[in-house]
Amino acid sequence: MKIYTAKIDTASALKVVADDMILTTACPTAAGSKMLDGYMSLFESEALTRLKNAGFELCGKTDVGEFAIDLLGETSYNGACTDGEKILNPTAEAVKANEAAIALTLDVNGSVRRAAAQNDLVSIKPTYGTVSRYGTIPVACSGETVSLLASSAGVLKEALDIIAGHDDKDGTSLSEELCASLKKDAPTSPVKRVAYFANMFEGVSECIAQKANAFCEILKKNGIEVVEVEESVIAASRVAWNILMSAELCNNVSRYDGVKYGYRTQNFTNLDELYTNTRTEAFGELLKTAILFGSETLSTDNYFKVYDKALRTRRIIVEAFAKIFESFDAVLMPACSKTEYTTQDIEANKYLAFEENLYTAPASITGLPAVVTGGVQLVGKAFSEKALLDAAEIYEKESK
Amino acid sequence: MRYETVIGLEVHVELATKSKIFCSCSAHSYGSEPNEHVCPACCGMPGMLPVVNKRVVDYGMKAGLMLNCDINRTTTFDKKSYYYPDLPAAYQTTQWFAPVAVNGLVEIETSKGKKNIRIKQIHMEEDAGKLVHDIMEDTTHVDFNRTSVPLIEIVSQPDLSSAEEVEAYLDRLKNLLRYAKVAECEMAHGTMRCDVNLSVRPEGSDKLGVRTEMKNMNSIEAIKRAIDYETARHIDAIENGTEVLVQETRRWDDIKGKSYAMRTKETAGDYRYFPDPNVMPVIIDDDWYEGIKATLPEFPEVKRAKYINEYGLSEYDADRIAQSIALCECFEDACAVSKSAKDAANWMISDVMKTLNNKQMTYDMLTLNGKKLGELILLVTGNKVSRANGKKILVAMFDDETVNPEQYAEENDLILSDNTDLVKKVVGEVIASDPKSVADYKSGKEKALMALFGKCMKELKGNCDPQTLRNILTEEVNKA
Ligand SMILES: [Zn+2]
């Protein structure tokens, strides 16, 4: 059990902790995988550099699940971080312990959002392309986003102001003009109407449902309209995202082959054995499953049957959100189905992470911004981060 | 039975951009130390993101337009996955779904006349690195200098039918791409590489035979030998049943003069192509497209016809100059200044090209300023500088691009003296110093006059119009 993979002594009052998907030059970045045990990057994440330039100091790295595709981090090669049977998220633990004002993470499959919801923290996954992905371990590049976790929305606004912006080193980075709406001083059009995704709440625990109700009550009390909406298309995000994420992951982790850096098997007599044994020995079970699934979806036989369909589904979901945003400013949905996961849950279902992402996949696949607060998730229009965080601040104030 | 060979080519051409396709490393590593031009991006380290080098798209479009292709105004990049130690990210970024150029046409000319070869597509992609096998240590090293160097792959339709046509086609590609200054296309340097897809069928049949793909030919001569060998092997198999032909990739061994099966051609599915989410679709707007079109050179045959019809050159001279765009540009600039195409062509062929040959430089390597050559020609035709000294000035211009011909002539005492008094004085002195030659000339030995002429010219350090000197000398000798 391990919260930190590295700790750095710093006297600074402004501390940032980064999860182990964020490349740093001060300490190794392993992405929770034996494959990258001790891997020292030659360069650093752009988002981290921006925070450091603004006066933040890196105080450590927190552990992640192998390539950040699991529930909370339980598939790290260091072992799961637990309290009894309860699975803990190392990054959330660091923030809860006040070890850092903010945490910089890579949201690949929603673990940071689940962690925020289960620990009464606040997280923001900004609009895709507004924060540079330069210097993050690539997994599912078409949807993963550098995200922030903190104990209050105000801190997130400050940090977002620093890390958002165009970066020439990231070909998917949006223009400075588009990123400007995430800045502190940009005008905001507030959240006035929220769509409550009733069918998304159908399978959640009583506790999550209560949190959602409490959240809605506070919004209503503050003059924000909450309307129940039945929406059936967006749930397809999960399957489509699992296909896209696995395919991209399969391709992105192919570079870890024992030739250049990272783990290399001792047990080989030819190139095929070098590849096969290195990857067999260093990769964990969930990752191997995703690799095999991703490889299958991209084969000639399946490309049009599976992968291309997932791409089309993505477009349909983008359109479905656009339609909703014609009459609403944000969508309220769960971030996870229950307030904690246990080791027994995982034993019962090894692939729970690919089911629980029912709630996180919609924002991942569309690149829309998502704020988790009060145990629930607000998904907004592109570039509406500030309005979402304003709503989170209303909740914070009222719930105290 | 008579057979015909059906050949399609996949030609890889290294684009001559300064930097690599997705990072700022130099794309030119010829003669460099291994791994001298590498960075975390082209070594496939996690966390670096590809940023498309716009020049590569410029060059890809130019190549497409030179080969009469349609340009895809939205062109995208895809990932092709396979494992090999020289491919650091285990995928090659290439263009599978929307290549930059499609549906082209290239005209070739052989002993049988002219023929059109259809181009299926041109796609841009990154090169892989190189494995270096160390026999002494029994190890293999990887050199990533070449990874991410931009390439285009030109895929032809199976429209070629002989080694001669293949040679003409490759020459034509090389000529057109060099004209557009997008590539060197030198097989010996590896900047042009060619895979041959070949099948054989009874003449007149419209059914294609079993196709084999041949790799590893390092020269046009090797390609021709490989085609002849492979054609004979296919016919032998068909007629005599010596072996069963299978669709496969074969490696050409030029020393043994044989091809060997490499691996059964696997389906493309193994490469698991999919759109690269890190590279946004490249949208070629009208400004960009028209801007590139405007930079395209005239085609070689247009230049040739212009030189014959407008400039009045002989077919032979026109052919010689039109073979390289660098020669054409220098020649045209020299013409514009000197106003004499004949003189400019003369200088180009007997001086400029000869100098390049002597320096073992290709014609494309010419950097001589054509306008300055024109000025030099004017100095000579205006009798300000002798032809012989003009050659000296040209050598100086070759060695130093900043040399200005007139200034150089002045600074080095190469301006022809129009001072007849000086010439007369020198002639008088030479005649007085060599009575024997004078006597010989007077007794009918014409050669003696040349000896006197040479002595005068030497005294004058060449600074005299030869005709003027001849006139004065003849006059003075006859008087003596
Ligand atoms: Zn590089």
Side-chain angles (χ1 to χ4, degrees), chain B residues 20 22-26 37-43 48 144 147-148:
Chain B
K20 294 185 176 182
F22 297 123
C23 62
S24 55
C25 293
S26 168
H37 304 296
V38 298
C39 72
C42 55
C43 286
M48 292 296 282
F144 290 136
T147 54
S148 288

Side-chain angles (χ1 to χ4, degrees), chain B residues 95-109:
Chain B
Q95 296 196 288
W96 180 250
F97 294 105
V100 65
V102 292
N103 299 331
L105 206 62
V106 171
E107 190 186 74
I108 60 164
E109 194 168 359

Side-chain angles (χ1 to χ4, degrees), chain A residues 122-126 146-149 156 160 369-372 385 389:
Chain A
V122 193
S123 74
I124 173 116
K125 185 189 86 67
V146 172
S147 300
L148 296 165
L149 181 69
L156 294 183
L160 198 58
V371 164
V372 173
E385 282 79 352
L389 288 171

Side-chain angles (χ1 to χ4, degrees), chain B residues 12 21 92-95 123-127 149-151 153:
Chain B
H12 284 93
I21 185 165
Q92 178 193 32
T93 307
T94 179
Q95 296 196 288
H123 56 261
M124 304 179 281
E125 61 188 22
E126 55 179 343
D127 209 345
V149 165
L151 298 176
E153 181 175 338

Side-chain angles (χ1 to χ4, degrees), chain B residues 13-286:
Chain B
V13 170
E14 201 173 276
L15 295 176
T17 54
K18 281 198 186 73
S19 49
K20 294 185 176 182
I21 185 165
F22 297 123
C23 62
S24 55
C25 293
S26 168
H28 303 277
S29 56
Y30 196 65
S32 301
E33 288 281 312
N35 296 311
E36 194 178 320
H37 304 296
V38 298
C39 72
C42 55
C43 286
M45 289 180 178
M48 292 296 282
L49 295 164
V51 178
V52 179
N53 177 352
K54 197 172 162 285
R55 300 290 288 172
V56 172
V57 184
D58 286 350
Y59 281 27
M61 280 166 71
K62 279 190 191 185
L65 291 168
M66 288 305 282
L67 307 188
N68 296 303
C69 291
D70 298 328
I71 301 299
N72 266 329
R73 300 292 281 271
T74 298
T75 184
T76 56
F77 286 88
D78 307 294
K79 290 180 169 194
K80 174 183 178 178
S81 300
Y82 64 92
Y83 288 95
Y84 205 61
D86 68 4
L87 191 67
Y91 61 81
Q92 178 193 32
T93 307
T94 179
Q95 296 196 288
W96 180 250
F97 294 105
V100 65
V102 292
N103 299 331
L105 206 62
V106 171
E107 190 186 74
I108 60 164
E109 194 168 359
T110 63
S111 57
K112 286 182 184 158
K114 288 181 177 173
K115 182 175 176 181
N116 281 328
I117 308 301
R118 290 169 302 152
I119 304 291
K120 182 169 174 264
Q121 69 175 56
I122 301 177
H123 56 261
M124 304 179 281
E125 61 188 22
E126 55 179 343
D127 209 345
K130 273 181 191 165
L131 294 187
V132 183
H133 303 283
D134 188 330
I135 301 161
M136 299 298 283
E137 283 183 42
D138 191 27
T139 53
T140 302
H141 301 276
V142 196
D143 178 1
F144 290 136
N145 277 342
R146 212 179 61 184
T147 54
S148 288
V149 165
L151 298 176
I152 48 173
E153 181 175 338
I154 305 163
V155 184
S156 84
Q157 297 285 4
D159 291 349
L160 296 146
S161 52
S162 67
E164 188 195 2
E165 284 184 7
V166 167
E167 182 175 17
Y169 171 76
L170 290 173
D171 277 346
R172 180 68 176 162
L173 288 188
K174 185 170 164 175
N175 193 216
L176 291 173
L177 297 180
R178 283 185 173 183
Y179 247 65
K181 296 182 184 168
V182 297
E184 183 200 36
C185 297
E186 198 62 72
M187 291 193 87
H189 294 167
T191 52
M192 187 182 213
R193 308 192 283 267
C194 177
D195 299 336
V196 176
N197 289 301
L198 181 148
S199 64
V200 165
R201 65 182 172 194
E203 207 171 68
S205 162
D206 55 4
K207 221 179 125 210
L208 288 169
V210 175
R211 174 168 58 95
T212 56
E213 182 183 1
M214 268 190 301
K215 290 181 180 291
N216 195 43
M217 290 82 69
N218 300 319
S219 67
I220 288 193
E221 291 312 312
I223 291 169
K224 286 160 73 180
R225 282 190 285 272
I227 288 172
D228 289 342
Y229 170 86
E230 194 67 4
T231 304
R233 189 179 73 88
H234 280 234
I235 293 173
D236 197 30
I238 295 164
E239 291 208 323
N240 307 320
T242 44
E243 59 183 309
V244 178
L245 291 174
V246 287
Q247 185 172 327
E248 62 186 1
T249 304
R250 298 178 70 85
R251 185 178 184 280
W252 174 250
D253 185 331
D254 203 43
I255 294 165
K256 296 205 175 86
K258 283 183 176 171
S259 69
Y260 296 92
M262 278 169 75
R263 55 189 152 92
T264 308
K265 178 113 182 169
E266 292 154 332
T267 55
D270 295 330
Y271 291 128
R272 303 197 303 277
Y273 289 99
F274 76 104
D276 187 341
N278 283 324
V279 186
M280 293 286 103
V282 178
I283 294 159
I284 300 164
D285 60 18
D286 287 350

Side-chain angles (χ1 to χ4, degrees), chain A residues 111-132:
Chain A
S111 50
V112 63
R113 277 177 277 164
R114 285 186 284 274
Q118 296 181 345
N119 291 282
D120 282 323
L121 297 173
V122 193
S123 74
I124 173 116
K125 185 189 86 67
T127 307
Y128 184 82
T130 56
V131 177
S132 173

Side-chain angles (χ1 to χ4, degrees), chain A residues 121-186:
Chain A
L121 297 173
V122 193
S123 74
I124 173 116
K125 185 189 86 67
T127 307
Y128 184 82
T130 56
V131 177
S132 173
R133 286 183 296 113
Y134 176 85
T136 59
I137 299 279
V139 181
C141 298
S142 72
E144 68 201 10
T145 312
V146 172
S147 300
L148 296 165
L149 181 69
S151 44
S152 75
V155 186
L156 294 183
K157 279 189 189 169
E158 296 289 329
L160 198 58
D161 179 71
I162 297 163
I163 65 171
H166 174 76
D167 180 14
D168 282 338
K169 300 185 293 301
D170 177 352
T172 63
S173 173
L174 296 170
S175 70
E176 207 62 71
E177 290 75 23
L178 287 171
C179 297
S181 52
L182 277 66
K183 298 284 177 186
K184 267 196 298 195
D185 52 2

